Amino acid sequence: VVEPLEHDHAQVTLIDPGRELDDLMAVALTNRPELASKKGQVAAAEVEIRQEKARPFIPAFAINGFQSPFEMLQAGIFGIGPNSSLNQWRGRVDVSLQPIWRLSNVGIGNLAAIKRQRGMESLSIIDWFGTQDMVAEEITQAHARLQSAAVRVVQADRALRTGIITLNGAVEGLEQTSRFGDVLVLVGRPQEAVYALQLLQRAFDEYFVTVSDYNRSQFELFRALGYPAGEVALVHPPGEVSPVDTSRPSYLPPVGEGPPPATR
């Protein structure tokens, strides 16, 4: 049985709601994997432009043979000699290594290829900037929701404390009486205590809902920032380890060990 050490309405603060939006933008731009992917595409497009510029100056090597058919590569050993003797052996290989420089359409095609790669680079840059705008939009929305939830938590906490004080006063009023002639009259009416209890229940409901919104906003902003674990470790360092009771019933294995072996 897992028993959480926190109460059920604990506020989970991963990112300080008071952080400046510009600081959060810098964190997101260095942690979001989409931005790293788009930046890599831009770098790849730049490399392809350099390749197209250097293509006319880099030769392509062709290895051909001199024999027919199809100028196949051939190799063999030939024996010659005077009269009927073959005492002179020589090897022969028909291979031709040719460097070839190519200009597509007298260089106009190479210029067109370079221009096409520059267009691909421009598309990659536009896509990169669009992803940055999308990340900035998510950060702005998540930050606004978090700040709104933080303010509402304070208001809900204040309303809850007011409801507790009101209910305690109403219950205390039911125990007090005042004399009106020969009749004892209650200082507080029962309807007031019932109404105070209803208001307290509503305050509790609103407080739990508001805390849930706050925690949800925290994790939404944490995701929008690219899960910056370093920010959490620096801003909220872990505290001391709380003691945990690890005792278990005798029929269960100790904590940290696996299940008991299967028996038939």
Side-chain angles (χ1 to χ4, degrees):
V1 178
V2 179
E3 296 181 359
L5 299 179
E6 302 87 359
H7 48 79
D8 53 358
H9 56 278
Q11 288 184 239
V12 180
T13 301
L14 301 175
I15 306 298
D16 185 7
R19 289 282 297 274
E20 295 293 336
L21 188 59
D22 294 339
D23 296 341
L24 297 178
M25 290 295 180
V27 174
L29 293 179
T30 55
N31 285 276
R32 287 292 291 265
E34 301 94 325
L35 295 176
S37 174
K38 300 301 180 182
K39 187 176 181 180
Q41 293 179 4
V42 173
E46 293 176 352
V47 172
E48 292 178 355
I49 291 176
R50 291 196 296 267
Q51 290 177 351
E52 292 297 336
K53 289 182 177 180
R55 190 177 301 278
F57 306 100
I58 299 177
F61 291 91
I63 301 177
N64 299 321
F66 294 136
Q67 301 297 327
S68 298
F70 309 117
E71 297 183 352
M72 294 185 298
L73 301 180
Q74 295 183 356
I77 298 177
F78 296 88
I80 60 176
N83 299 326
S84 62
S85 63
L86 296 176
N87 56 2
Q88 298 179 9
W89 298 89
R90 294 290 185 274
R92 178 177 176 180
V93 179
D94 294 333
V95 176
S96 173
L97 182 63
Q98 300 176 354
I100 300 174
W101 285 267
R102 179 180 178 182
L103 289 176
S104 179
N105 295 331
V106 198
I108 299 177
N110 297 100
L111 295 178
I114 295 174
K115 187 175 182 180
R116 181 177 66 85
Q117 291 300 331
R118 285 177 177 171
M120 298 299 296
E121 181 191 20
S122 300
L123 290 177
S124 300
I125 293 175
I126 293 174
D127 194 12
W128 182 28
F129 288 163
T131 306
Q132 286 182 344
D133 294 339
M134 180 194 68
V135 171
E137 179 183 1
E138 292 181 0
I139 296 298
T140 304
Q141 292 178 354
H143 187 253
R145 285 194 294 265
L146 177 58
Q147 288 185 334
S148 174
V151 173
R152 287 187 287 112
V153 166
V154 176
Q155 296 174 350
D157 180 74
R158 187 181 304 156
L160 181 60
R161 295 178 185 274
T162 302
I164 293 175
I165 294 174
T166 303
L167 179 61
N168 292 335
V171 173
E172 184 179 355
L174 293 177
E175 300 175 355
Q176 298 178 0
T177 59
S178 62
R179 183 174 295 275
F180 185 73
D182 295 335
V183 180
L184 294 177
V185 181
L186 293 175
V187 174
R189 294 177 296 177
Q191 294 85 350
E192 296 177 356
V194 173
Y195 184 66
L197 182 60
Q198 294 175 351
L199 292 180
L200 180 60
Q201 181 182 2
R202 184 182 304 174
F204 267 113
D205 294 340
E206 293 179 353
Y207 179 74
F208 287 139
V209 171
T210 306
V211 171
S212 299
D213 292 342
Y214 177 83
N215 294 338
R216 188 180 299 109
S217 301
Q218 280 284 342
F219 283 99
E220 287 179 355
L221 181 59
F222 189 64
R223 186 210 65 82
L225 291 175
Y227 303 100
E231 294 291 324
V232 178
L234 294 177
V235 179
H236 301 283
E240 298 180 357
V241 179
S242 301
V244 179
D245 184 13
T246 59
S247 61
R248 308 183 71 183
S250 59
Y251 56 85
L252 292 177
V255 177
E257 299 183 4
T263 56
R264 295 184 179 179

